[in-house]
Amino acid sequence: MQIDLKQPILDKNDRLADELRARFAENHVFVLDLLASPGSGKTSTILATIEALRDEFNIAVIEGDIASSVDAEKIKAQGTAAVQINTGGACHLESAMIKRAVDVLDLERLDLIIIENVGNLVCPTDFDLGESLKAMILSVPEGHDKPLKYPGVFQASEAVVLNKVDTMPMFNFDREAFEDAVRQLNPSAPIFPIAATTGEGVGVWAEWLAERIRHA
């Protein structure tokens, strides 16, 4: 006899995600779920995005990590509300975790919540968090072949941020091959080349996101 536990887990997660999505819609809050590998520059991209959007939108961040509150403290130090989720070993966030984090936020005062998912290019794609959209960050040092190795995350994301483009001369990164692979998997997903730590390209990415928020 074979028992499939995955579907009941996903069904429960998806029901709660639908409840969260309705709650976000009621409060006119846009939710961005950011997916990426460890070290891709998720937090630096979030900080750069906040800096570009903070004059127009009230923003909060939900930080997902296996352990520690390092990233949440970085966000708070810049004057933005942040809630830390420690999964204790789980490789992804789930809607029940997001609900607990959202319960301590004042949704009536927010326009945008950015979720920094656990660094992983596999598991987070399966879990609906009630988000308005998923986007992913890939950094140049990770290599241009990641769409071939992890197609699911590229297919699940509505936008791709290519971070650390300022390091491209130091790595054998074939940008044309990368962009071709992404477009084969997800023809409608825009690709935003940025260097989060220097600000290069962040304005274009932030304006695209702002347009999505305005028209949500």
Side-chain angles (χ1 to χ4, degrees):
M1 179 179 180
Q2 183 174 353
I3 300 174
D4 183 2
L5 296 178
K6 181 179 180 182
Q7 197 57 47
I9 290 172
L10 290 178
D11 286 346
K12 181 179 179 181
N13 180 86
D14 290 349
R15 285 195 299 272
L16 182 52
D18 287 340
E19 294 174 12
L20 283 169
R21 187 169 286 108
R23 187 175 171 189
F24 294 142
E26 181 182 352
N27 288 277
H28 306 287
V29 179
F30 191 94
V31 180
L32 169 65
D33 181 16
L34 275 180
L35 314 177
S37 300
S40 63
K42 294 190 297 298
T43 305
S44 59
T45 299
I46 289 172
L47 287 169
T49 303
I50 291 171
E51 186 62 29
L53 298 179
R54 69 191 321 156
D55 289 343
E56 182 175 358
F57 303 109
N58 293 320
I59 305 170
V61 177
I62 296 175
E63 286 285 347
D65 289 294
I66 290 175
S68 90
S69 60
V70 172
D71 290 340
E73 294 304 322
K74 289 179 182 177
I75 301 296
K76 291 177 182 177
Q78 300 302 313
T80 298
V83 180
Q84 181 72 53
I85 297 175
N86 289 140
T87 67
C91 59
H92 59 272
L93 296 177
E94 299 179 11
S95 56
M97 301 175 188
I98 298 301
K99 181 182 184 302
R100 290 194 293 271
V102 168
D103 284 343
V104 305
L105 293 172
D106 186 353
L107 292 184
E108 293 183 356
R109 294 179 177 272
L110 293 175
D111 304 302
L112 170 63
I113 296 175
I114 302 175
I115 300 172
E116 180 177 336
N117 217 311
V118 179
N120 187 339
L121 293 182
V122 182
C123 305
T125 61
D126 289 333
F127 287 83
D128 186 355
L129 304 180
E131 72 278 352
S132 307
L133 70 84
K134 291 184 186 293
M136 72 160 296
I137 303 168
L138 183 85
S139 65
V140 166
E142 295 174 74
H144 59 264
D145 58 355
K146 286 297 180 290
L148 304 177
K149 295 180 177 180
Y150 301 94
V153 68
F154 290 90
Q155 293 168 326
S157 300
E158 291 188 44
V160 176
V161 176
L162 178 61
N163 193 23
K164 304 185 184 180
V165 293
D166 53 328
T167 69
M168 205 169 287
M170 294 181 281
F171 295 92
N172 186 26
F173 188 93
D174 188 333
R175 183 168 169 178
E176 183 177 354
F178 168 74
E179 292 182 354
D180 286 347
V182 171
R183 292 190 179 105
Q184 288 180 28
L185 293 168
N186 193 342
S188 63
I191 302 170
F192 298 97
I194 75 166
T197 56
T198 67
E200 178 184 347
V202 172
V204 178
W205 148 249
E207 181 54 30
W208 178 87
L209 178 58
E211 280 296 303
R212 294 296 303 267
I213 298 168
R214 295 179 194 124
H215 294 96

